[in-house]
Amino acid sequence: MNRQWAAQARLRALQEADRHRSEQRENAARFGSHEVRTRLTIARGYAQLIADQSAEPTVREDAELVVAELIKASALATNLLTLVRVVEPSAPEPVDVDQLLAEILRRWSVTADRIWNARSTVGTLQGDSERLEAILDCLLENAVKFTGPGDTIAMTADAEGGELVLVVRDTGAGIPAADLDTIFDTFRTGATAGERAGSGLGLAIVKAVAEARGGTVSVASSLGRGTTFTLRFPLRTAPPIPPAFPSDSADRGPLNEPAGVGS
């Protein structure tokens, strides 16, 4: 029995040490990313000031180039932080998927001239709204890059066979078949991405989030006809909210039969 207790104590100690290391990694990533982004924001502000106030066309063009590169660097720092954090465990919480998709659609629809659509009747599930929003942002950012004005970008959420199925579809340029097998690799941007290529982290983040939570991500694409990303997660419904007691105790009824329960 003493050996069993000792083994359990060692296991608890190992779990606590692992949790502590995980917290240290996340705190370091948060702090480092914050410091980098703060300095990039300051540098971007000064570069933009030069671009706005300089009377020399060449200086303005150079300053605008610096601003553009600083914007890319800031986005890269944000994506690196997200990639570090997505694999860390998180406590599940109720997530209103319908509302989340509506909010994401409203936020993205003002960023690009596309035909935006979103549909969800899933309701509230147990999950992680921050990470779910992060992967949808990555997929939408990718969709914007490979579409143009008049193209459609759509999100859907459905509950199918014990899974939450999220789909992001666009009618843009599509992905060459040769790139499909490696599209989720870190820092892989595709052989034909050209000027639309980013850091190569966005789709790696999507895959990391999906796999860390027991899910999968797949892609189907056709050149000139668009791309569809499909995410599947184990479905965990949120527990129902118990009915609230009336504020007036006189209306409650017998103590062993609260009002609103069993009626």
Side-chain angles (χ1 to χ4, degrees), residues 66-125:
V66 172
V67 170
E69 291 301 315
L70 289 171
I71 291 174
K72 293 178 184 177
S74 181
L76 177 60
T78 300
N79 283 340
L80 285 170
L81 172 63
T82 304
L83 187 59
V84 169
R85 296 182 60 209
V86 291
V87 296
E88 300 295 340
S90 60
E93 60 183 6
V95 179
D96 187 334
V97 179
D98 303 350
Q99 180 179 346
L100 181 65
L101 260 65
E103 292 175 350
I104 293 174
L105 176 70
R106 185 162 51 249
R107 175 161 48 81
W108 273 93
S109 62
V110 299
T111 67
D113 181 16
R114 309 289 189 269
I115 301 172
W116 295 89
N117 292 305
R119 176 189 59 78
S120 173
T121 56
V122 172
T124 301
L125 305 174

